[in-house]
């Protein structure tokens, strides 16, 4: 090998060493220091990455908790013991309120609703809602194509006779189903709520009854039974609803004697099964 060859090798060696030194120095200067507590908190979290906390995932939530932007109780999946452990580790208040669960405010399954148009498209609620309003006559009811169930990362939603039903013992209140429903039928409510009005139609009673046997007809019996002005039940136009900041007890069901049965206990499938009506074929 000639002198030029040795010179080239030496040049590459020196140049490589200098470049490595520069890269290492730059990395040291520009490295963003990470709080080691973030990794500890990540280990304490369930790792579901469901986004129910409002963050991109568990790592993002852990960073927010360590920096004080969020409280440990903001994770809907964490057990009470895990929340307490994180709070103790960081020396902060656990925070968080009462556990929330999802509820589908519709009782219209395929058996007790009148049919709309026959739908034979993509089995997705958004797609069905865009085509003649879906397969049921009520344009405010559950479409029954399981978009919410498919969005739930915990398998808490079951489809029963074309109606989505949330199992409270599995639901963690992450809110994924709320985002997935094109008709905004799903709400996050306190787990302690004992009853719900399983209807979301604002139409007058006669209009509702034409398409659903278990709709709210705005008779106000539940509002009167709860006590006018007490706040336990509310009426907006022709639709009654529970005041979830001051929810009534389950005995209101017996007191109100709802004529359509749309006032039902929480955590129980809301609709009785009747003879399934005919649907109208799409043109």
């Amino acid at each position: 090998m000639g002198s030029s060859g040795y010179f080239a090798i030496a040049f590459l060696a020196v140049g490589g060493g200098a470049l490595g030194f520069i890269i290492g120095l730059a990395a040291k200067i520009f490295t963003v220091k990470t709080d080691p507590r973030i990794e500890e908190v990540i280990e304490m979290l369930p790792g579901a990455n469901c986004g129910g906390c409002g963050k991109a995932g568990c790592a993002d939530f852990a960073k927010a908790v360590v920096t004080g932007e969020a409280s440990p109780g903001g994770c809907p999946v964490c057990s009470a013991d895990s929340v307490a452990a994180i709070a103790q580790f960081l020396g902060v208040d656990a925070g968080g309120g009462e556990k929330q669960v999802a509820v589908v405010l519709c009782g219209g399954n395929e058996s007790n609703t009148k049919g709309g148009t026959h739908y034979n498209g993509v089995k997705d609620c958004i797609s069905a809602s865009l085509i003649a309003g879906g397969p049921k006559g009520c344009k405010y009811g559950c479409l029954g194509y399981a978009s919410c169930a498919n969005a739930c990362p915990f398998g808490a939603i079951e489809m029963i006779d074309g109606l989505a039903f949330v199992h409270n013992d599995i639901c963690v209140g992450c809110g994924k189903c709320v985002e997935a429903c094109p008709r905004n039928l799903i709400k996050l409510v306190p787990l302690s709520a004992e009853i719900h009005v399983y209807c979301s139609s604002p139409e007058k009673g006669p209009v509702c009854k034409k398409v659903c046997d278990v709709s709210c007809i705005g008779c106000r019996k539940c509002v009167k039974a709860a006590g006018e002005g007490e706040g336990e039940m509310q009426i907006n136009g022709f639709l009654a609803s529970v005041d979830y900041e001051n929810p009534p007890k389950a005995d209101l069901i017996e007191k109100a004697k709802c004529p359509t049965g749309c006032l039902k206990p929480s955590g129980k499938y809301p609709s009785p099964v009747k003879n399934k009506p005919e649907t109208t074929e799409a043109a």
Side-chain angles (χ1 to χ4, degrees), residues 118-210:
H118 179 73
Y119 177 71
N120 194 33
V122 178
K123 302 302 180 183
D124 172 78
C125 294
I126 295 177
S127 299
S129 67
L130 295 174
I131 300 178
K136 297 177 184 176
C138 178
K139 61 182 179 181
Y140 302 98
C142 176
L143 288 153
Y145 289 115
S147 289
C148 56
N150 293 332
C152 179
F154 303 97
I157 301 179
E158 180 182 5
M159 301 305 299
I160 305 175
D161 194 22
L163 177 65
F165 173 68
V166 180
H167 292 277
N168 287 348
D169 56 336
I170 303 176
C171 178
V172 302
C174 71
K176 291 293 186 182
C177 56
V178 177
E179 299 172 4
C181 179
R183 290 190 167 173
N184 301 314
L185 295 175
I186 309 177
K187 297 186 182 299
L188 293 179
V189 302
L191 178 60
S192 61
E194 297 182 8
I195 60 176
H196 305 293
V197 176
Y198 287 95
C199 181
S200 294
S201 175
E203 301 281 7
K204 293 181 179 180
V207 177
C208 290
K209 290 291 289 181
K210 286 182 179 180

